[in-house]
Amino acid sequence: MAEKNLDFDQVIERNGTDCLKYDFAVRRGMPEGILPLWVADMDFRISSYIQDDLVKQAEHGIYGYTDTQDEYYQAVNKWIRDQYGYRVLEEEIVKTPGVVYAIGMAIQAFTSPGEAVLIQQPVYYPFSDVIRKNGRKVVSSDLVYDKDNKTYHIDKEDFERKIVENNVRLFLLCNPHNPVGRAWKKAELIQMGEILRKHEVIVFSDEIHADFVWNGNHQPFITAKEHFDQICVTATSPSKTFNLAGLQVSNLVIKNKILRRKFQLAIDASGYSQLNAAGLAACKAAYQFGKEWYEAVRKYIKSNIDFMDSYLKENIPQIKMIYPEATYLVWVDFGDLGLTDNQLEELVVKKANLWLDSGRIFGTAGKGFQRFNVACPRKILHQALKQLKKAVDDE
């Protein structure tokens, strides 16, 4: 049976489906009818193989407590081996309903109230939110923006200083990095990892965007150097890769038995046990049969990134796109427009009628930036860019 859902140009109506991206604008303070390119899901229909397995499960009609057997672990292990180059054992996988939930469990498992957790802003905003709501201290070693080359790098000295000064016990690594689009190189991960080992810091490596590295292969933290697997919790999920975020399933790789025991204890204490039955079925089907869809969607999204890059250079050159090494989230520098934060929001939301993720929510280092989700039909992306051009031209 061939894959059926490969028409990514098709615009699928999502309004009226209780879709967070489209149906909750007014509730979240946005104008009715605004064009959304914010939250990180795709406007594409999932692989027909996954869809068929979900239909089969729905037709069975019983949705009781569900767990995973050998076939599930074999599918997860094969995907990890083929995509990222390392092997996992069944007992090294801890399933959670999502990566953000897993971050909360890691904070509870590996730190105490009042202790510091290190991040690298501008970074995925739930990182700091979950740290604060768990009563821990947010410490950021901000990434350094190279405006001339439109890229970011790590300040090694600041990174180590923040760890020492704040007695950091846990570091949340975003690899690949959301929103700046860096696919961290092996040397960069080793540089950070050696500092972290020296100061006995545990690493939570969020690798949810690992399947969208555009040049070369994703470099997991866990394999960057020998022994890194003993200080690391690696978060993987089919949710970004296969557009399954609403089904809530992720697979955490924890090779260190002591860390795994502590992490599992935190989950047990939260009252959570078996995952969503549909999520488990979708994950297994995705990793077993979704490769054709995945490769096709990768190609389409990459073409959208190239289209956006060309469009901005040709039509709105004062807006600078940080060409992503990874992810389908594009980080855009509006700094040359010389606008205040409020003026930039006015331009994007009220004049361009676009719902993007404001750089401010990613930390102070995100000031003057906006994040675009380009995992949508070209027609939608083009319309968004035309609306942005008109707004800028009218300024």
Side-chain angles (χ1 to χ4, degrees):
M1 181 175 62
E3 174 63 59
K4 303 171 189 173
N5 295 340
L6 297 177
D7 182 4
F8 304 117
D9 281 321
Q10 181 185 8
V11 177
I12 298 169
E13 180 61 66
R14 299 188 68 187
N15 288 291
T17 63
D18 291 334
C19 165
L20 187 64
K21 190 173 186 178
Y22 283 85
D23 286 334
F24 288 81
V26 174
R27 288 189 179 215
R28 291 185 170 231
M30 294 290 173
E32 182 74 45
I34 194 168
L35 183 58
L37 283 82
W38 64 291
V39 69
D41 66 10
M42 302 182 191
D43 289 333
F44 308 132
R45 190 166 278 127
I46 64 171
S47 164
S48 60
Y49 288 99
I50 304 173
Q51 204 170 4
D52 288 346
D53 271 24
L54 289 172
V55 169
K56 181 179 177 181
Q57 185 188 60
E59 288 177 340
H60 182 261
I62 298 176
Y63 314 112
Y65 296 114
T66 304
D67 215 327
T68 50
Q69 301 195 66
D70 289 348
E71 191 178 11
Y72 177 91
Y73 294 107
Q74 289 167 5
V76 172
N77 182 48
K78 185 176 188 305
W79 188 267
I80 289 174
R81 184 181 70 245
D82 292 350
Q83 294 292 113
Y84 320 134
Y86 66 95
R87 295 175 181 271
V88 293
L89 302 175
E90 178 178 331
E91 60 265 26
E92 295 170 342
I93 296 174
V94 180
K95 302 184 297 294
T96 74
V99 171
V100 175
Y101 171 85
I103 289 171
M105 294 301 96
I107 290 168
Q108 292 185 27
F110 306 130
T111 68
S112 299
E115 288 188 331
V117 179
L118 183 67
I119 59 176
Q120 294 171 306
Q121 292 181 327
V123 74
Y124 183 49
Y125 46 90
F127 279 24
S128 55
D129 190 45
V130 174
I131 293 168
R132 291 192 186 98
K133 288 180 178 176
N134 274 284
R136 274 62 166 178
K137 177 184 176 184
V138 176
V139 175
S140 179
S141 177
D142 290 354
L143 298 177
V144 179
Y145 178 41
D146 181 344
K147 187 176 178 67
D148 292 336
N149 294 306
K150 297 194 287 295
T151 189
Y152 284 81
H153 65 265
I154 300 155
D155 183 335
K156 177 185 175 183
E157 288 71 28
D158 181 72
F159 186 81
E160 185 164 17
R161 183 169 58 251
K162 292 288 175 60
I163 289 172
V164 173
E165 290 178 352
N166 297 277
N167 192 30
V168 167
R169 300 268 60 85
L170 177 65
F171 168 50
L172 304 184
L173 170 65
C174 201
N175 177 37
H177 195 282
N178 167 18
V180 309
R182 280 300 316 278
W184 299 116
K185 303 296 186 283
K186 186 174 184 177
E188 293 172 307
L189 294 174
I190 290 174
Q191 188 177 68
M192 288 189 288
E194 292 290 11
I195 294 170
L196 294 161
R197 285 189 70 209
K198 175 182 174 182
H199 298 289
E200 299 181 338
V201 179
I202 297 165
V203 182
F204 184 101
S205 187
D206 174 2
E207 305 193 6
I208 199 170
H209 292 279
D211 293 316
F212 295 102
V213 173
W214 301 116
N215 292 303
N217 298 317
H218 167 66
Q219 173 59 62
F221 178 86
I222 196 172
T223 61
K225 191 172 183 180
E226 188 180 5
H227 305 307
F228 281 11
D229 61 353
Q230 294 305 299
I231 64 167
C232 183
V233 173
T234 302
T236 76
S237 175
S239 63
K240 293 294 181 278
T241 308
F242 292 98
N243 201 25
L244 303 176
L247 294 179
Q248 300 191 338
V249 57
S250 61
N251 298 288
L252 283 289
V253 177
I254 313 176
K255 289 186 172 285
N256 183 306
K257 292 180 181 179
I258 296 173
L259 296 185
R260 189 164 67 245
R261 191 178 305 120
K262 288 182 177 180
F263 187 81
Q264 186 62 59
L265 183 60
I267 293 174
D268 294 344
S270 78
Y272 200 88
S273 54
Q274 283 76 25
L275 266 66
N276 178 291
L280 295 173
C283 179
K284 184 173 69 172
Y287 288 155
Q288 286 179 324
F289 309 117
K291 193 69 177 287
E292 181 184 0
W293 183 94
Y294 159 68
E295 290 177 346
V297 85
R298 265 182 60 93
K299 183 178 179 180
Y300 189 90
I301 291 170
K302 179 63 164 57
S303 72
N304 269 357
I305 293 171
D306 291 337
F307 173 80
M308 181 172 175
D309 186 44
S310 296
Y311 187 96
L312 290 178
K313 286 175 179 175
E314 294 170 10
N315 297 281
I316 328 174
Q318 59 271 55
I319 295 176
K320 313 295 184 185
M321 171 177 146
I322 313 303
Y323 195 96
E325 296 172 355
T327 84
Y328 54 76
L329 306 168
V330 178
W331 192 232
V332 179
D333 182 357
F334 285 72
D336 286 350
L337 296 180
L339 303 176
T340 66
D341 286 344
N342 289 337
Q343 288 171 336
L344 179 54
E345 290 304 303
E346 176 89 6
L347 173 76
V348 171
V349 175
K350 295 187 178 178
K351 296 180 181 178
N353 197 37
L354 295 178
W355 188 2
L356 309 176
D357 269 334
S358 168
R360 291 184 296 183
I361 65 177
F362 299 91
T364 56
K367 177 181 170 64
F369 289 80
Q370 298 279 324
R371 191 189 78 171
F372 289 68
N373 174 4
V374 301
C376 59
R378 177 70 55 79
K379 180 179 179 181
I380 292 176
L381 177 60
H382 193 192
Q383 180 61 38
L385 293 172
K386 288 191 291 186
Q387 289 175 203
L388 182 59
K389 173 176 165 51
K390 184 177 186 307
V392 172
D393 288 348
D394 290 347
E395 277 290 293

